[in-house]
Amino acid sequence: MQQVKRWLVIEMKSMLVIGGGIAGIQSALDLADRGFHVYLVEREPSIGGHMALLDKTFPTNDCSMCILAPKMNECNAHPDIDILSYSEVAGLSGEAGDFSARVMRRARYVNEDKCTGCGECRARCPSKVPNEYNSNLDTRKAIFLPYPQAVPRVMTIDKDHCIYLTKGKCGVCRKVCSAGAVDYEQEDTFVDLDVAAVIVSTGFELFDPSQMPEYGYGRYANVITAMQYERMICASGPTSGHLETSPAKQHPEKIAFIQCVGSRDMQHNPYCCSVCCMHAVKESILAKEHYDESQSYIFYTDLRATGKGFEEYTARAEKDYGVQYIRSRPGQITEDAGTKKLTVWYDDTVNRKVKGLEVDMAVLCTCLVPAKGGEKLAKILGIEIDESGFFENMDELTSPLDSKRSGIFIAGYCQSPKDIPESVAQGSGAAARAAEVGSA
Amino acid sequence: MKQIIRNTKAYYCVECGKCTGSCPVARGNEFFSPRLIVERALSGMKQDIEGDRELWACLTCEACSKKCPSTVKYSEFIRGMRKMAFDSGFTSRCSQGGLLHSIQRIHSIKDLVQDRLDWAKDLKTSKKGEVLYFTGCLPYFENLFSAFVSPIEIAKSTVKILNFAGIVPAILQNERCCGHDLLWTGDSETFQKLARLNTEMIKESGASRVVTSCPECLRTLKLDYADLLESTGIEIMHISELISSLMKNNGIKFNRSGIMTYHDPCRLGRHLGIYDAPRDVIKSMGELVEMGNHMAESSCCGVSAWATCESMSKQMQVNRLIEAKSTGSDTLITSCPKCLIHLKCAVHNQIPVEKEKVDIRIEDLAVAAGKALAGD
Amino acid sequence: MIPRIGVFVCHCGTNIGGYVDVPDVVEYVKALPGVVHAERNIYTCADDGLTSIKNAIKSRDLNRVIVASCTPRTHAPLFRSAVAAAGLNPYLFELVNIREQCSWVHMKEKEAATQKAKDLIRMGVARVSLLEPQEEIRINVTPSALVIGGGVAGMTAALSIANQGFRVDLIEKESELGGMLRHLYTLYPDGRDASPVLAKFIENVKNNRNIEIHTSSRVKKVDGYIGNFTVWAENEKGPLEIRTGVLVVATGAEEFKPLGLYGYGAGAVLTELELEDRLRSGLLHTIKSAVFIQCAGARCSDRAYCSRICCNVAIKNAMILKQMFPEADINILHNGIRAYGTYEKMYRQAQELGVGFRKYSKEIPPEVMVNGERARVKFYHELMGKEIEYSPDLIVLSSPLVPHGDVEEISKMLKVPLGQDGFFLEAHVKLRPVDFATDGIFLCGTARAPADITESICQGYAAASRASIPLMKGYVQAEAITAVVDETKCIGCGYCASVCPYNAASMNEKTVAAEEFSYATKKSYINPALCKGCGTCAAGCPAGAITPNHFTLPQIIASIKAFQPERYTLAIA
């Protein structure tokens, strides 16, 4: 194919995107597609963020990984994107148009250029670790890929659990690696990058519901988080797509979804996480699709179906999937010590009756809180963070993509609670802002 | 009413129902709903609230406010509503036929003379001292409930432990009821009288530290007397806290025996956040096995401020004992004389379940600790 | 060319592998004539899967590739580029869907699913043998944008594109820029005045030398395709003709006038915008009480959707009233307060101020009774189980945003779709929120769905980002799979032009020279830059003159024949 010269004959600058979830991926692609060189820095071993861990997405029930994976691969294959995974930004100097960023590339003890991702090492690794990518529902090895579609497809050694790195013994992975990629001597390194603008899209993490003892998370086996539910019902998850109660390993017949766990709660997080109403609706539809005999109950306060097509989606869930909406925030969950069935105690506010609903499984739709390390990153970048941990805008109303420092932009959940399309829109929008700086 | 709404942040209510869903009373009494009382207040329905007998059903156990997403101070709210009702001439349905409340009102007479120290005659006490033991209503309870419990043993054990640690506590010759029960049933005027009488005596005693057996006295002295004791710097503490500190600092030890479970009193736990001290003491006396509902999730003993004792109370007490028994413990420890009385009362008369299910020894923490003192 | 076919069967984790015996399928496929290589991958789309495709093309000298996995909608581009990377024309590739169309629908019948996977792949093999290379064409892009709509979203998009160095024509049908912002008194969440925000926007747009503003202008006709649009517009000065590379639709929305609902029309009953108008003009008399009614004309059978912003708007306006008249009794009657995200904070502030929130029942909506200047509101307080009545001085109806009356016209002109609620429909609700399915046309603001100022700004930037990509690149790659006309067969009936959804087919005047005489006629022409290869024209052509490349009759017939294993034969193109 004939190479056509770029229409704008100027030297294209580089850009830094911090956080490789869907917002950061969109920023990176938009910037690279117009010719900027993009460094996409991701703290985890793979880009993809939380979207990579979801089963389906509302309101179309599109398979999350199926629509995300092509974008992840596009980043990987893009000649103008460098993915710096397992890396963190350690310093930033300069000013808009001419920043110098220092990135710490954490030692993954595997040579990225040599590793083929074949998985032979993983198969032989003797060290089992709770698998955080499956919400700790199963185990992974100390040398691992977060999930099969990981990008880059490069193994990483978890140094806290690697027997060789902690005790000096083992070394099996190095022995079996025919590519010679395992390198126990690897150290953290630093690279300095010249960039015109920075986009921060560090996303969120999940609120720990064991802080709310009334719901029994951690004490009762059948109280799980919505993220655990997503992993369970996902075909590539730890139970191959089957919902299972514990310890009976049976499909739950009655499932309670409890919203606003740790959100809209002035004792925890005062804000609304903006997504738990809708993912609960989606998850209850999925339950019915998997098990026709199942019955879902969604305990909500306001059912905030505000996005495009959401109201219609919630109506469809009720009509076609028999989902029951109950306007109440339950007060307590108790467990029958023998059967391990749960009773959700709640005030049916519309009928003004206190009821105890027996269910097989209770799913806590936990708050999404800004990802940890935000404060440190804000300090490094010289930007500000609000009392809830969201990065602050130049002007929350009129410049929702600009941080308080010129040349640094914010996109996605780390700016304020939002869903995937809004994160994508902000990812694109922040790319436009960065491109304005880069074109100046 | 507007002021109460403001002070207790009731205006933040989003009507989510978490309070009512948490409420142990609402679970058995379909006419009672914490949420609906707030909603009526927000809608300005003053008379409706005042005339509602369910206003007095609340145990003020704070199971609701502890988790209220809108941080409504529910127990204070209900206290305010009760004061409002009381001022309009409505009263609670006192258990014990109102006897206890009458005694408490008599206590507010300035020139009252009491003979209440008989129990302490074999123990070392004084009139003044560094540490004051605020006995509370134990001597009165002893007379009322001796058919099935001996509350005065708590006082005796407490002083015994203090003496063992070399402390000679001051006790008040003419101590008055702390006023807790009247305060929580709307009679704040009498409460104020009692508070003034007590705080004067406490100040006169020269104590820098006041110890109570009763978590209700503790809460009252600590929070509700705060204005009157503010400048004194007097430390108010529960006996479990003092024993726990004696263990750490004075090397007090206990003989270990048996398996115990622990019932958190509402005022000690949810109201004041004292969860660890009693557990420290229990763990040094034996093995502690927790019930499912413990610490912030603990259930109430079913009665508060002698304001209510109904079938619901009995149900709650029996459920609690079943829960305690099912832990496999041989003793249920509590650290509140009133919890002790209520739980023991529940099994004293007829019980709605087989006796084996609730057959567990119930003992006060100080009594158990007094018996287990090592080297005694 | 003798086909040398490589087949890659994907397990898709357990999505396929859990229900289809993939190793058995691979063994079967290996034996098919023409197949010289077959293998299976846990995820063919993952890096190692793609690498093995590339390696096999080289090492086994493959000239045709099949991936049997999931839907081509998401994955065909990825596999095509892998094929291209190995030096093979990317159109000598076929994706056989054995997930959505096989494993997922036959989860309980493993043997049958395996047999069906074999059948589908065999049919694919028959087809791929006949595929021909296709060339992608590049189209130069006019380096400028045209934005339709001069509200917040449109102005933001115009400014950002202009700031990236491109010329922008901004078309606004009103005589002034600003759109909905012109009608607002204050803005949430901080309650600041709207007018300085508006003024700043207009100043920025006017001062930007890259932006040409066309107010009081209406788009009349649009022609062309990505990179090369021509837009005809009209204003008082006369017609305009603008050539542009990309289009941004930012036509906004308007407030629904709730005629016939809740006493609307009476003096004491206003919509939110009417209230803002009174507040701005200082015409609001003193009030002792006000009632807001939420979802006035929304979340009902006529308009099923939630208008997203009205709860926040009502909270903001209730706070203004409460601040102006602190003793007034202000109540918001709602069916769920949807102060999503950090707007929850504003909800809390309103509670602190003493604004009352009362939930009504969806089944028994509030009733407004108007009597001259006075109005009463009766509603069922669902959470208390009580009927409550107010006699407010003012009733404010929070009615939804609805599309403008002219959206259908614009939709037809641009050939972009509307959703069921009448707002413009984006290419993909999740991952392409500001793209249209038609290349080169983008979408932002309330033309897409109800959104507030801040969200419209975000979307304005997003559309600017997407629209500037082809401008900065300077070219676009058009669809390779297009339809072609065999003029000797074309009878000039024009049916194709009438059915083409992309306006790619047109009728050209032609002179046909026969042996003894020549005559003028019409022949179909399909613009390869516009054609998306949908095949509608070919299916409809009565003369069989149109062939969609890559989906030719012989290719399709070979595939159908191969459904019966005994009729599978290796075809050679």
Side-chain angles (χ1 to χ4, degrees):
Chain A
M1 263 176 269
Q2 181 205 350
Q3 193 63 44
V4 175
K5 256 169 88 177
R6 221 189 289 284
W7 190 83
L8 278 171
V9 192
I10 51 166
E11 199 192 327
M12 296 301 276
K13 292 176 178 168
S14 295
M15 299 289 180
L16 173 64
V17 178
I18 308 171
I22 187 60
I25 285 175
Q26 188 63 44
S27 291
L29 288 172
D30 270 22
L31 285 167
D33 277 350
R34 68 185 72 194
F36 291 107
H37 189 80
V38 179
Y39 300 103
L40 178 55
V41 174
E42 167 58 52
R43 183 159 63 183
E44 296 290 325
S46 171
I47 60 168
H50 281 93
M51 194 179 165
L53 307 179
L54 303 178
D55 181 35
K56 301 276 159 60
T57 58
F58 58 81
T60 49
N61 287 7
D62 270 319
C63 158
S64 189
M65 186 51 106
C66 305
I67 57 176
L68 176 67
K71 287 203 176 232
M72 291 164 68
N73 285 315
E74 210 181 324
C75 283
N76 201 33
H78 206 295
D80 274 322
I81 297 178
D82 275 337
I83 299 173
L84 283 69
S85 63
Y86 215 52
S87 302
E88 284 176 56
V89 172
L92 186 80
S93 58
E95 56 185 52
D98 190 17
F99 286 114
S100 175
R102 174 159 292 192
V103 176
M104 183 182 79
R105 311 219 56 196
R106 281 161 65 199
R108 71 196 315 160
Y109 305 101
V110 173
N111 185 320
E112 285 185 25
D113 299 329
K114 290 184 185 167
C115 177
T116 62
C118 72
E120 187 61 25
C121 53
R122 178 177 55 188
R124 306 280 290 274
C125 173
S127 177
K128 282 189 181 173
V129 184
N131 184 355
E132 61 271 44
Y133 303 97
N134 274 338
S135 297
N136 298 330
L137 291 167
D138 64 353
T139 56
R140 61 164 170 81
K141 296 295 185 66
I143 187 161
F144 68 103
L145 263 190
Y147 35 81
Q149 304 88 335
V151 168
R153 199 184 157 80
V154 173
M155 294 290 164
T156 302
I157 295 181
D158 169 353
K159 70 171 184 217
D160 297 332
H161 295 96
C162 168
I163 297 168
Y164 185 88
L165 290 172
T166 52
K167 299 197 181 106
K169 281 179 267 180
C170 188
V172 166
C173 55
R174 184 165 58 187
K175 260 175 250 155
V176 300
C177 179
S178 47
V182 174
D183 175 8
Y184 299 125
E185 263 55 293
Q186 214 177 59
E187 285 177 357
D188 297 348
T189 53
F190 290 88
V191 288
D192 289 332
L193 311 168
D194 291 328
V195 295
V198 180
I199 293 173
V200 185
S201 50
T202 48
F204 62 86
E205 61 187 42
L206 296 158
F207 171 79
D208 172 14
S210 58
Q211 295 173 51
M212 299 175 80
E214 62 267 35
Y215 294 146
Y217 181 74
R219 276 185 292 145
Y220 305 147
N222 293 311
V223 176
I224 61 170
T225 64
M227 186 47 95
Q228 288 178 320
Y229 182 94
E230 290 278 345
R231 294 314 302 150
M232 269 196 204
I233 205 153
C234 181
S236 63
T239 55
S240 305
H242 298 295
L243 293 178
E244 286 174 354
T245 60
S246 180
K249 297 222 174 292
Q250 280 172 348
H251 303 320
E253 231 170 84
K254 291 184 172 181
I255 309 171
F257 291 88
I258 297 168
Q259 311 207 294
C260 303
V261 176
S263 47
R264 295 190 68 195
D265 188 330
M266 292 157 90
Q267 300 201 29
H268 299 285
N269 304 289
Y271 52 87
C272 157
C273 74
S274 287
V275 295
C276 85
C277 288
M278 296 314 296
H279 73 63
V281 172
K282 172 195 71 182
E283 283 151 9
S284 55
I285 288 177
L286 294 180
K288 191 76 178 173
E289 283 183 346
H290 279 234
Y291 314 110
D292 195 42
E293 69 284 3
S294 75
Q295 172 66 53
S296 296
Y297 304 86
I298 296 181
F299 290 90
Y300 72 99
T301 305
D302 284 304
L303 206 65
R304 295 182 160 170
T306 58
K308 192 167 182 174
F310 292 1
E311 183 76 15
E312 296 87 333
Y313 189 60
T314 56
R316 195 153 54 89
E318 187 174 26
K319 189 168 156 275
D320 298 346
Y321 295 87
V323 175
Q324 283 191 33
Y325 298 109
I326 300 171
R327 193 194 174 284
S328 179
R329 224 184 268 207
Q332 195 185 22
I333 296 175
T334 53
E335 184 195 56
D336 182 310
T339 62
K340 301 289 172 194
K341 285 195 182 222
L342 304 165
T343 301
V344 179
W345 294 98
Y346 68 100
D347 171 11
D348 183 345
T349 59
V350 172
N351 296 304
R352 299 166 303 284
K353 286 231 158 46
V354 175
K355 295 173 185 169
L357 175 73
E358 194 184 71
V359 295
D360 303 296
M361 183 178 268
V363 182
L364 307 182
C365 301
T366 55
C367 186
L368 279 51
V369 297
K372 62 179 172 293
E375 218 167 308
K376 189 177 150 202
L377 183 63
K379 231 173 237 161
I380 289 168
L381 300 177
I383 61 176
E384 281 168 47
I385 201 164
D386 72 10
E387 73 277 3
S388 296
F390 296 106
F391 294 114
E392 281 194 272
N393 289 120
M394 186 91 90
D395 182 321
E396 62 171 339
L397 207 162
T398 59
S399 37
L401 301 165
D402 293 36
S403 76
K404 291 207 166 171
R405 184 171 177 189
S406 174
I408 302 183
F409 306 99
I410 316 168
Y413 200 95
C414 68
Q415 185 257 346
S416 75
K418 58 179 64 67
D419 62 9
I420 292 171
E422 286 180 275
S423 297
V424 171
Q426 285 206 334
S428 276
R433 295 291 294 134
E436 289 179 41
V437 174
S439 311
Chain B
M1 192 161 70
K2 278 190 175 161
Q3 198 54 46
I4 298 165
I5 290 172
R6 193 126 290 276
N7 292 344
T8 58
K9 296 188 178 174
Y11 54 80
Y12 275 144
C13 177
V14 294
E15 307 158 286
C16 70
K18 193 165 183 182
C19 49
T20 301
S22 312
C23 178
V25 178
R27 240 167 251 184
N29 175 353
E30 61 172 318
F31 302 106
F32 180 70
S33 165
R35 172 178 68 83
L36 283 175
I37 301 178
V38 172
E39 284 190 30
R40 280 184 285 165
L42 291 175
S43 295
M45 303 158 98
K46 182 168 180 277
Q47 286 163 353
D48 201 73
I49 295 173
E50 287 175 346
D52 183 1
R53 67 193 294 271
E54 300 306 332
L55 177 62
W56 310 94
C58 175
L59 296 167
T60 62
C61 72
E62 295 201 347
C64 57
S65 47
K66 210 69 210 164
K67 9 184 147 147
C68 173
S70 302
T71 63
V72 176
K73 296 177 189 164
Y74 196 78
S75 57
E76 277 175 43
F77 170 82
I78 214 76
R79 201 166 83 182
M81 291 296 137
R82 284 177 181 178
K83 177 178 170 352
M84 187 179 83
F86 186 85
D87 292 347
S88 300
F90 296 91
T91 54
S92 69
R93 305 159 277 157
C94 304
S95 57
Q96 315 303 326
L99 174 62
L100 280 152
H101 289 185
S102 300
I103 294 172
Q104 290 163 357
R105 288 202 175 90
I106 291 169
H107 269 207
S108 70
I109 298 168
K110 197 164 190 288
D111 302 324
L112 177 77
V113 179
Q114 294 180 80
D115 174 14
R116 55 178 290 155
L117 297 184
D118 192 46
W119 60 271
K121 58 181 188 274
D122 300 333
L123 295 156
K124 280 184 260 178
T125 58
S126 68
K127 289 194 169 164
K128 294 204 169 195
E130 184 82 349
V131 176
L132 170 73
Y133 173 49
F134 193 89
T135 321
C137 296
L138 292 173
Y140 291 89
F141 293 165
E142 181 69 14
N143 290 329
L144 282 168
F145 303 112
S146 58
F148 56 88
V149 61
S150 176
I152 202 66
E153 282 305 313
I154 300 171
K156 288 183 182 172
S157 301
T158 301
V159 176
K160 179 184 168 188
I161 295 164
L162 295 178
N163 288 173
F164 184 81
I167 299 168
V168 178
I171 47 178
L172 299 174
Q173 174 68 41
N174 208 4
E175 182 189 300
R176 310 300 173 96
C177 167
C178 69
H180 171 277
D181 300 345
L182 296 178
L183 178 65
W184 289 89
T185 48
D187 184 358
S188 65
E189 200 185 319
T190 312
F191 167 77
Q192 287 300 334
K193 285 184 196 162
L194 293 168
R196 271 192 295 272
L197 289 166
N198 275 326
T199 47
E200 267 163 40
M201 286 186 281
I202 291 169
K203 283 179 198 166
E204 274 169 28
S205 75
S208 62
R209 184 183 266 191
V210 178
V211 182
T212 78
S213 296
C214 174
E216 302 200 334
C217 295
L218 181 75
R219 191 216 125 96
T220 308
L221 268 57
K222 212 169 175 166
L223 304 182
D224 305 312
Y225 285 9
D227 290 347
L228 295 164
L229 291 175
E230 203 181 12
S231 54
T232 61
I234 295 173
E235 186 189 1
I236 318 282
M237 67 194 307
H238 187 248
I239 183 63
S240 62
E241 294 177 290
L242 184 67
I243 301 174
S244 167
S245 98
L246 291 173
M247 282 161 43
K248 280 183 199 112
N249 305 323
N250 300 34
I252 287 207
K253 287 196 169 67
F254 298 101
N255 297 319
R256 291 177 64 84
S257 68
I259 307 168
M260 302 169 204
T261 189
Y262 175 64
H263 167 78
D264 290 89
C266 303
R267 266 132 179 95
L268 196 62
R270 280 185 291 265
H271 282 237
L272 295 167
I274 300 169
Y275 297 111
D276 295 337
R279 287 181 168 74
D280 290 344
V281 180
I282 293 168
K283 282 180 201 158
S284 73
M285 297 192 293
E287 188 190 339
L288 171 66
V289 183
E290 296 283 8
M291 288 181 271
N293 295 310
H294 66 281
M295 295 178 70
E297 284 301 291
S298 178
S299 339
C300 176
C301 72
V303 184
S304 171
W306 305 110
T308 38
C309 183
E310 301 183 333
S311 59
M312 193 53 217
S313 310
K314 181 107 175 173
Q315 188 61 50
M316 287 172 68
Q317 288 148 6
V318 169
N319 285 348
R320 190 58 168 164
L321 291 171
I322 293 171
E323 196 181 1
K325 179 73 184 173
S326 69
T327 61
S329 309
D330 31 56
T331 312
L332 167 63
I333 301 281
T334 181
S335 50
C336 172
K338 288 181 174 174
C339 291
L340 181 78
I341 292 167
H342 300 140
L343 292 171
K344 284 209 168 188
C345 174
V347 281
H348 174 58
N349 293 315
Q350 275 193 317
I351 40 170
V353 293
E354 301 90 63
K355 198 168 186 314
E356 305 87 76
K357 286 192 173 169
V358 293
D359 185 21
I360 184 167
R361 187 168 70 220
I362 312 165
E363 200 161 47
D364 181 83
L365 181 75
V367 174
K371 286 183 195 163
L373 272 176
D376 180 25
Chain C
M1 201 197 312
I2 307 287
R4 293 183 57 81
I5 304 167
V7 182
F8 302 81
V9 187
C10 182
H11 283 256
C12 196
T14 54
N15 278 301
I16 296 167
Y19 314 102
V20 168
D21 185 346
V22 175
D24 184 37
V25 171
V26 170
E27 284 315 306
Y28 171 79
V29 169
K30 269 185 185 161
L32 288 174
V35 175
V36 296
H37 175 85
E39 65 169 77
R40 59 199 172 92
N41 316 99
I42 299 301
Y43 289 97
T44 312
C45 63
D47 245 16
D48 63 339
L50 299 176
T51 305
S52 61
I53 295 176
K54 291 178 211 164
N55 291 344
I57 290 173
K58 285 177 188 150
S59 64
R60 306 299 310 261
D61 196 22
L62 303 180
N63 58 23
R64 298 284 190 285
V65 172
I66 285 182
V67 173
S69 61
C70 51
T71 165
R73 279 178 67 106
T74 56
H75 283 69
L78 184 73
F79 296 128
R80 278 215 184 106
S81 60
V83 169
L88 197 62
N89 184 286
Y91 292 88
L92 298 174
F93 159 81
E94 176 77 357
L95 207 156
V96 175
N97 187 342
I98 57 166
R99 192 178 70 178
E100 282 84 343
Q101 294 171 359
C102 184
S103 69
W104 277 0
V105 285
H106 303 295
M107 283 185 176
K108 286 171 191 146
E109 11 180 18
K110 197 168 171 175
E111 266 179 38
T114 304
Q115 187 53 49
K116 180 170 172 183
K118 290 176 185 172
D119 293 344
L120 288 169
I121 297 173
R122 186 178 64 247
M123 291 166 76
V125 168
R127 176 175 144 71
V128 81
S129 320
L130 292 173
L131 290 184
E132 287 162 0
Q134 305 293 334
E135 288 309 323
E136 293 168 350
I137 56 167
R138 269 184 176 175
I139 305 158
N140 285 331
V141 172
T142 307
S144 70
L146 184 138
V147 178
I148 310 173
V152 165
M155 287 193 286
T156 304
L159 277 167
S160 183
I161 296 169
N163 287 338
Q164 291 176 62
F166 303 98
R167 194 193 121 88
V168 181
D169 286 283
L170 177 58
I171 296 196
E172 168 56 49
K173 66 180 172 189
E174 302 290 332
S175 58
E176 284 171 58
L177 292 176
M180 184 66 89
L181 187 52
R182 288 171 55 218
H183 304 289
L184 303 180
Y185 172 50
T186 59
L187 306 177
Y188 69 74
D190 57 10
R192 74 181 75 171
D193 281 352
S195 57
V197 175
L198 173 64
K200 183 82 188 153
F201 260 111
I202 293 177
E203 185 195 327
N204 288 345
V205 171
K206 284 190 172 160
N207 290 344
N208 195 308
R209 276 183 293 172
N210 281 346
I211 302 177
E212 187 162 339
I213 305 166
H214 310 275
T215 45
S216 305
S217 304
R218 278 180 177 276
V219 175
K220 287 286 160 196
K221 188 181 164 202
V222 179
D223 203 1
Y225 48 91
I226 182 167
N228 302 278
F229 288 105
T230 306
V231 176
W232 289 270
E234 212 172 71
N235 59 23
E236 310 99 68
K237 290 176 234 150
L240 288 164
E241 186 182 324
I242 303 164
R243 287 182 56 77
T244 187
V246 289
L247 295 168
V248 176
V249 177
T251 48
E254 62 192 50
E255 186 189 56
F256 172 67
K257 297 292 169 216
L259 291 168
L261 293 173
Y262 305 111
Y264 181 66
V269 185
L270 303 178
T271 65
E272 295 284 357
L273 270 189
E274 288 161 359
L275 171 65
E276 303 234 4
D277 192 50
R278 280 208 196 171
L279 288 166
R280 195 183 41 231
S281 53
L283 289 177
L284 190 73
H285 54 80
T286 305
I287 55 161
K288 287 200 188 74
S289 61
V291 164
F292 288 73
I293 300 175
Q294 298 305 104
C295 303
R299 298 172 65 195
C300 56
S301 54
D302 288 342
R303 273 161 301 278
Y305 62 93
C306 160
S307 182
R308 186 173 174 95
I309 62 168
C310 340
C311 282
N312 296 333
V313 171
I315 290 170
K316 180 203 74 173
N317 286 340
M319 282 201 283
I320 293 177
L321 294 181
K322 195 74 188 168
Q323 278 154 348
M324 288 171 77
F325 313 110
E327 294 309 310
D329 196 19
I330 313 286
N331 286 299
I332 298 181
L333 311 187
H334 63 89
N335 180 23
I337 285 291
R338 297 182 163 183
Y340 56 91
T342 47
Y343 295 135
E344 182 80 5
K345 198 169 160 185
M346 190 167 65
Y347 178 19
R348 293 300 193 185
Q349 285 165 352
Q351 291 182 313
E352 286 163 16
L353 273 180
V355 174
F357 291 86
R358 313 276 174 254
K359 188 180 182 305
Y360 64 76
S361 158
K362 199 180 176 185
E363 284 71 39
I364 319 164
E367 241 181 282
V368 174
M369 292 141 295
V370 179
N371 184 2
E373 281 304 293
R374 300 297 304 167
R376 282 180 303 137
V377 183
K378 200 166 74 178
F379 78 102
Y380 180 68
H381 190 308
E382 192 172 35
L383 308 181
M384 267 208 289
K386 276 198 164 64
E387 199 163 83
I388 292 183
E389 201 174 306
Y390 294 116
S391 301
D393 302 328
L394 179 66
I395 295 171
V396 186
L397 304 181
S398 294
S399 62
L401 288 179
V402 291
H404 288 304
D406 59 1
V407 284
E408 241 169 88
E409 197 186 322
I410 297 170
S411 138
K412 278 189 188 133
M413 219 157 20
L414 295 173
K415 299 176 187 71
V416 290
L418 297 174
Q420 58 181 8
D421 46 18
F423 291 96
F424 285 101
L425 186 64
E426 61 272 45
H428 188 279
V429 65
K430 214 71 192 170
L431 292 187
R432 294 181 67 192
V434 298
D435 296 2
F436 275 114
T438 309
D439 294 341
I441 311 181
F442 304 90
L443 171 66
C444 56
T446 51
R448 174 186 164 268
D452 63 23
I453 301 287
T454 306
E455 289 154 0
S456 297
I457 291 172
C458 284
Q459 290 177 26
Y461 281 120
S465 177
R466 306 291 299 155
S468 318
I469 293 170
L471 303 184
M472 264 204 185
K473 268 169 90 168
Y475 67 89
V476 285
Q477 201 105 28
E479 190 61 57
I481 302 167
T482 56
V484 289
V485 180
D486 179 350
E487 284 190 7
T488 61
K489 289 190 188 165
C490 176
I491 55 171
C493 69
Y495 184 75
C496 51
S498 71
V499 295
C500 176
Y502 305 100
N503 243 13
S506 57
M507 303 309 291
N508 288 352
E509 300 287 342
K510 284 268 168 165
T511 305
V512 175
E515 273 173 31
E516 283 144 29
F517 60 96
S518 62
Y519 62 96
T521 184
K522 285 183 174 178
K523 294 285 178 189
S524 166
Y525 168 71
I526 293 169
N527 183 344
L530 286 179
C531 177
K532 294 272 170 201
C534 70
T536 309
C537 55
C541 179
I546 303 179
T547 300
N549 284 332
H550 205 63
F551 292 96
T552 65
L553 217 47
Q555 288 163 359
I556 291 170
I557 287 170
S559 181
I560 293 170
K561 265 171 65 180
F563 174 56
Q564 289 173 290
E566 63 279 10
R567 293 188 69 193
Y568 168 79
T569 49
L570 178 64
I572 298 168

